[in-house]
């Protein structure tokens, strides 16, 4: 982010002004409603006194027997003064926007369905000190939601080619101004935008003026309209809040035949974990998968039975260079439901944002390929990623979790050489690969000595 781009208010306003044709009376009306972010709109409720909406309420579904059984049932509040939709939610950020979707501006008129930039962040319920007094409505809350924006919504089916098109697609300047606004939330403590962008562990308050049920959950969004009257505004409460994942196995969300468990009260099964940060334990990547890439949607994992879940890989480019995991794994990510406009009781998946969120279920130090033995194959992996400074996962040879592959990892591999799941195995003769790595280690250590 350059210093020029940090002058966010002018960029936003100028881009809006540039889009107006001042010869048209309608544009003077538009000018009247253009407002700075963080400044109350005429129709805004008193945000400070508006109760938070708990996620358990926001994500409720119609009960069995209802025509819409299983579909989101929540209706947005319409507080005074103008009684238009407005609600306030609070949660901890689970993903960096750039790790999930490609937000790069790319305005295009068509083709049908082409969205250009997309931005999405998941937040989940978080307990803070003082909640009992300050916001008792959030006590014991569970669940979360997605905050989503897309650039070329006018290209969607049913909109593309209609007069509503231009209300729904952002020019590149308009899109970038929106990204600037939501990536740099206003710190409630200072009233100023933060200087480091939104990241996991940020506890935020969202003041929303729209949202839509989609794919089995209720998403916070701007109803795919450009008008600032539908903006959601993001405020920072605190940073670096520790986010613990909830441990699940496939049998928590699926029956033995692989069908998703759907509890209409949302107290169990897949709905209980929707939009939450989870660690899925004891799964293996489907054997038909040969490779993985950023933005992949085809990877599946299975347990020892008939259960199978799709893993969505984030936009993080580290997926394009990291070694695809093997063996029995624990995978950490965001449990999600996106069933399109179809059956609201199916189509759950796990969003994984980084390669290093895949780890061996039962890690043997030095065992890069997770096959239960530390040998030449693991040394070869280490050699292939040798001195990779960032973005490495276990399966690239990063055994100490610092995302780098270096002599620290080599020392771990060397200390466990010949291990086959239990200590005390016979240590084989060093092979050519191991000897080469030993040479690399010596060289690296020698380089670090002060001269
Ligand atoms: Ca749902
Ligand atoms: Ca191995
Ligand atoms: Ca390392």
């Amino acid at each position: 982010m350059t210093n020029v781009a940090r002058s966010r208010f002018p960029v936003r306003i100028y881009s809006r002004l540039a889009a107006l044709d001042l010869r048209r009376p309608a544009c003077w009306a538009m000018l009247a409603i253009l407002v700075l972010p963080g400044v109350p709109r005429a129709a805004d409720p008193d945000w400070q006194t508006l109760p938070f909406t708990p996620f358990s309420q926001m994500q409720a579904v119609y009960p069995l027997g209802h025509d819409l059984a299983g579909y989101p049932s929540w209706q947005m509040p319409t507080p005074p003064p103008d009684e238009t939709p407005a609600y306030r939610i609070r949660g901890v950020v689970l993903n960096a926007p750039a790790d999930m979707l490609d937000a790069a501006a790319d305005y295009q008129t068509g083709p049908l369905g082409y969205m250009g930039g997309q931005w999405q962040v998941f937040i989940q319920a978080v307990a803070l000190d003082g909640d009992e007094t300050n916001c008792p409505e959030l006590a014991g809350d569970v669940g979360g939601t997605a905050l989503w924006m897309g650039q070329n919504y006018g290209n969607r089916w049913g909109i593309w080619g209609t007069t509503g098109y231009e209300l729904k697609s952002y020019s590149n300047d308009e899109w970038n101004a929106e990204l600037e606004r939501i990536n740099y939330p206003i710190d409630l403590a200072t009233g100023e935008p933060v200087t480091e962008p939104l990241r996991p562990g940020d506890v935020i308050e969202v003041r929303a003026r729209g949202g839509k049920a989609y794919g089995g959950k209720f998403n916070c969004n701007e109803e795919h309209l450009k008008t600032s009257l539908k903006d959601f505004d993001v405020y920072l409460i605190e940073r670096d809040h520790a986010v613990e994942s909830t441990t699940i196995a496939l049998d928590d969300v699926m029956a033995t035949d692989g069908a998703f468990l759907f509890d209409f009260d949302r107290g169990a099964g897949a709905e209980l974990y929707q939009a939450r940060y989870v660690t899925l334990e004891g799964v293996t990547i489907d054997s038909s998968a040969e490779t993985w890439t950023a933005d992949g949607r085809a990877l599946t994992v299975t347990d020892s039975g008939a259960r199978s879940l799709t893993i969505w890989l984030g936009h993080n480019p580290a997926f394009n260079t990291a070694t695809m995991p093997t063996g029995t794994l624990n995978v950490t990510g965001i449990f999600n439901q996106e069933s399109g406009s179809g059956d609201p009781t199916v189509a759950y998946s796990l969003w994984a944002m980084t390669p290093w969120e895949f780890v061996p279920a039962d890690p043997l130090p030095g065992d890069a390929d997770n096959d239960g033995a530390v040998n030449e194959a693991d040394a070869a992996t280490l050699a292939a990623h040798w001195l990779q400074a960032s973005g490495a996962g276990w399966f690239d040879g990063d055994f100490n979790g610092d995302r780098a592959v270096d002599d620290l990892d080599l020392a771990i591999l060397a200390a466990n050489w010949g291990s086959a799941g239990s200590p005390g195995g016979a240590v084989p003769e060093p092979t050519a690969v191991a000897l080469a790595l030993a040479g690399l280690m010596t060289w690296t250590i020698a380089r670090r000595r002060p001269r």
Side-chain angles (χ1 to χ4, degrees), residues 398-406 409:
D398 172 31
F399 307 123
N400 67 346
D402 64 359
R403 318 279 183 256
V405 179
D406 55 24
D409 305 297

Side-chain angles (χ1 to χ4, degrees), residues 17 20-34:
L17 290 174
L20 296 178
D21 177 354
L22 298 179
R23 291 164 301 183
R24 294 167 54 198
C27 287
W28 287 101
M30 278 290 292
L31 269 178
I33 58 171
L34 281 170

Side-chain angles (χ1 to χ4, degrees), residues 4 88 94 114-115 124 135 142 176 186 203 212 223 250 260 304 319:
V4 173
R88 198 158 71 119
L94 302 182
Y114 181 69
M115 191 57 74
Q124 75 174 20
C135 41
V142 171
N176 286 331
I186 293 175
V203 178
K212 282 181 181 289
E223 299 183 0
L250 283 183
F260 286 109
S304 51
F319 283 114

Side-chain angles (χ1 to χ4, degrees), residues 367-375 378:
D367 183 12
D369 60 5
N370 194 23
D371 70 346
V374 181
N375 55 28
D378 306 303

Side-chain angles (χ1 to χ4, degrees), residues 243-254:
V243 184
E244 300 287 330
S245 63
T246 300
T247 298
I248 65 169
L250 283 183
D251 63 5
D252 287 315
V253 294
M254 287 176 163

